[in-house]
Amino acid sequence: MVPAAGRGERLGPGAPKALRELGGVPILVHAVRVLARSRAVETVVVVAPKDGVAEVRALLADAIGERESAVLVVVPGGDTRQESVRAGLAALPPGVDVVLVHDAARPLVPVDVVDAVARAVADGAEAVVPAVPLADTVKQVTPAPTAGLPEPVVATPDRSTLRAVQTPQGFRRDVLDRVHAKAVQEGIDATDDAGLVERFGGRVVVVPGHEEAFKVTRPLDLVLAEAVLARRRSRVEY
Ligand code: CTP
Ligand code: MG
């Protein structure tokens, strides 16, 4: 499943983030192509902006079409990421036991990461997240009431025990269904699906992610993504 219904406010004015282009191809198309290329993936459910379902359907039919074997379903998303994931879950065909949730905003994830996450779920984990070690030391602070003021440091967690998590995150379908239903009941709104599993007592494991699976969030991320794509293209053509 690919949540792609966000507006991309931190990217600045323009089209919804999933439809912004990278190397001349919409970000969403990159993300869907990677999933469709994984042999672990049979169906791709794309959760599109509410007013963009027809556009996304046409775009993907054109861009993916005959080239990939995975079945494609497009449904309208919600106002929060959690609502969008729920809409995607509701659209999953029966008989699907494993769900990968992959942000459209991570267009350059290598297919090996997709395969590794799917394999870890197939091997028995109920929730799997790909993650990478942190480059920066992290400080926990007491946030200042106004941005820009000095903030007191509370603690410095040991960096070797920290990981920055990416997507696709993989789940047993029944587990993901259950935690999303509980989140609604309890009025919880979370942007991290694995976090919901933890909160409700499930076990989450981390597998190695990849530096190219970074999320396109701010304008600088687009610059980096274009550079990664250019590097890949030059290597393939060489
Ligand atoms: N997402 C979604 N539905 C929402 C909000 C987010 O499907 N209501 C998706 C986004 O499309 C994205 C992923 O969740 O693929 C991760 O979210 P994020 O990077 O925060 O994207 P946006 O919410 O679009 O960006 P911003 O927060 O800057 O507006
Ligand atoms: Mg967001």
Side-chain angles (χ1 to χ4, degrees), residues 3-10 17 78-81 84 103-105 215:
R7 281 192 299 269
E9 277 169 8
R10 287 169 289 178
K17 182 158 69 181
D79 293 334
T80 65
R81 184 181 181 285
S84 294
D103 292 333
K215 186 154 70 73

Side-chain angles (χ1 to χ4, degrees), residues 120-202:
V121 182
D123 287 349
E126 59 181 9
V128 179
V129 301
V132 291
L134 299 186
D136 296 324
T137 294
V138 172
K139 300 274 184 206
Q140 187 187 348
V141 300
T142 306
T146 314
L149 294 179
E151 301 177 313
V153 170
V154 176
T156 305
D158 176 4
R159 187 155 55 90
S160 68
T161 69
L162 299 175
R163 299 289 181 267
V165 308
Q166 305 176 328
T167 73
Q169 301 190 349
F171 304 90
R172 260 178 34 207
R173 180 192 189 161
D174 60 322
V175 170
L176 194 57
D177 275 340
R178 197 167 63 230
V179 297
H180 271 273
K182 274 194 177 165
V184 173
Q185 271 171 23
E186 302 192 10
I188 293 158
D189 183 46
T191 53
D192 178 42
D193 299 294
L196 287 179
V197 175
E198 288 159 51
R199 178 190 276 262
F200 296 123

Side-chain angles (χ1 to χ4, degrees), residues 28-188:
L28 172 63
V29 171
H30 287 280
V32 172
R33 273 185 184 157
V34 180
L35 291 182
R37 213 181 293 138
S38 167
R39 272 194 278 164
V41 175
E42 290 164 15
T43 305
V44 180
V45 175
V46 173
V47 188
K50 257 184 238 161
D51 54 358
V53 174
E55 184 186 350
V56 164
R57 237 177 233 146
L59 176 73
L60 290 173
D62 235 33
I64 315 282
E66 328 268 290
R67 296 181 25 170
E68 317 283 353
S69 57
V71 176
L72 205 66
V73 179
V74 183
V75 295
D79 293 334
T80 65
R81 184 181 181 285
Q82 187 172 299
E83 281 176 23
S84 294
V85 171
R86 224 165 52 240
L89 280 176
L92 286 180
V96 170
D97 297 328
V98 176
V99 184
L100 305 185
V101 182
H102 180 56
D103 292 333
R106 298 181 188 271
L108 299 179
V109 62
V111 71
D112 289 354
V113 175
V114 179
D115 290 338
V117 170
R119 201 178 321 117
V121 182
D123 287 349
E126 59 181 9
V128 179
V129 301
V132 291
L134 299 186
D136 296 324
T137 294
V138 172
K139 300 274 184 206
Q140 187 187 348
V141 300
T142 306
T146 314
L149 294 179
E151 301 177 313
V153 170
V154 176
T156 305
D158 176 4
R159 187 155 55 90
S160 68
T161 69
L162 299 175
R163 299 289 181 267
V165 308
Q166 305 176 328
T167 73
Q169 301 190 349
F171 304 90
R172 260 178 34 207
R173 180 192 189 161
D174 60 322
V175 170
L176 194 57
D177 275 340
R178 197 167 63 230
V179 297
H180 271 273
K182 274 194 177 165
V184 173
Q185 271 171 23
E186 302 192 10
I188 293 158

